[in-house]
Amino acid sequence: MRVTIRAPRPEDATPYAQAVIRSAEHVGRWNPVDPDGFHELLRQQGPTLRTFLIIDDATGGIAGKCNVANIARGRWRNASLGYESYLPYSGTGLMSEGMRLVVDRCFGASPEGIGLHRLEINVQPGNERSITLAKRLGFRHEGFSPRYLFLNGAWRDHERFALTAEEWPGL
């Protein structure tokens, strides 16, 4: 592996903002661009949201981010993954490596893992790179969700992908 994953820390605010600004055109087509939203992201961390920064081991730079959101426990043990890669790392394979580590952590047992059984990824139909990443990770296509998420001023359709712990080769 050429990356590590870790929770965001207060000292990541400036490098995170720089990564988001540098990648605004790349990310902004699919997700809101908010370089000033880092402190709010830190504040939201808790039982239903865990964020992982994907760090390039060679440079220490932030290659990407993955939110593990809507974490449900009990009989469902499900969550949704939302991710974005940052320039200049996009297209280098670092995001795929980092996402494998995130999925390992999601399906892994406590105390290091989150102990989930099922993960979802929802991607806008035109976002071929994110769809390719979901498939590369082994997520199966489950369906189409019209007007699924409010992004950049409009309700956006999404393709829905899912994976269970039994299907994950990392376990």
Side-chain angles (χ1 to χ4, degrees), residues 74-110:
R75 294 180 189 270
W76 198 21
R77 293 189 333 207
N78 185 62
S80 298
L81 302 181
Y83 47 84
E84 51 193 34
S85 65
Y86 302 125
L87 299 174
Y89 306 101
S90 183
T92 64
L94 295 179
M95 196 66 188
S96 293
E97 290 180 28
M99 289 299 294
R100 283 186 181 91
L101 296 173
V102 170
V103 173
D104 279 343
R105 184 77 53 91
C106 287
F107 288 143
S110 298

Side-chain angles (χ1 to χ4, degrees), residues 122 140-145 158-161:
N122 295 283
R140 73 182 165 289
H141 187 257
E142 284 198 328
F144 178 76
S145 301
H158 281 68
E159 298 289 344
R160 189 175 60 258
F161 298 85

Side-chain angles (χ1 to χ4, degrees), residues 14-53:
T14 298
Y16 174 81
Q18 291 168 343
V20 170
I21 290 167
R22 187 172 56 245
S23 307
E25 188 175 323
H26 170 71
V27 171
R29 185 168 173 209
W30 309 110
N31 290 317
V33 174
D34 185 8
D36 299 322
F38 187 77
H39 295 293
E40 179 63 18
L41 181 69
L42 281 180
R43 189 190 68 70
Q44 293 175 347
Q45 298 301 299
T48 62
L49 175 67
R50 298 266 308 271
T51 298
F52 294 95
L53 297 180

Side-chain angles (χ1 to χ4, degrees), residues 49-160:
L49 175 67
R50 298 266 308 271
T51 298
F52 294 95
L53 297 180
I54 299 169
I55 307 297
D56 174 32
D57 289 339
T59 66
I62 301 173
K65 172 184 79 172
C66 179
N67 287 324
V68 182
N70 305 315
I71 298 171
R73 303 291 181 178
R75 294 180 189 270
W76 198 21
R77 293 189 333 207
N78 185 62
S80 298
L81 302 181
Y83 47 84
E84 51 193 34
S85 65
Y86 302 125
L87 299 174
Y89 306 101
S90 183
T92 64
L94 295 179
M95 196 66 188
S96 293
E97 290 180 28
M99 289 299 294
R100 283 186 181 91
L101 296 173
V102 170
V103 173
D104 279 343
R105 184 77 53 91
C106 287
F107 288 143
S110 298
E112 293 297 317
I114 302 175
L116 297 174
H117 177 257
R118 184 176 184 280
L119 296 171
E120 278 191 18
I121 294 175
N122 295 283
V123 181
Q124 292 175 62
N127 190 344
E128 292 300 325
R129 292 183 87 164
S130 286
I131 289 171
T132 299
L133 177 55
K135 290 177 179 179
R136 185 180 304 125
L137 292 169
F139 282 71
R140 73 182 165 289
H141 187 257
E142 284 198 328
F144 178 76
S145 301
R147 296 167 307 283
Y148 179 76
L149 195 59
F150 194 79
L151 295 168
N152 294 334
W155 288 101
R156 308 288 178 180
D157 298 341
H158 281 68
E159 298 289 344
R160 189 175 60 258

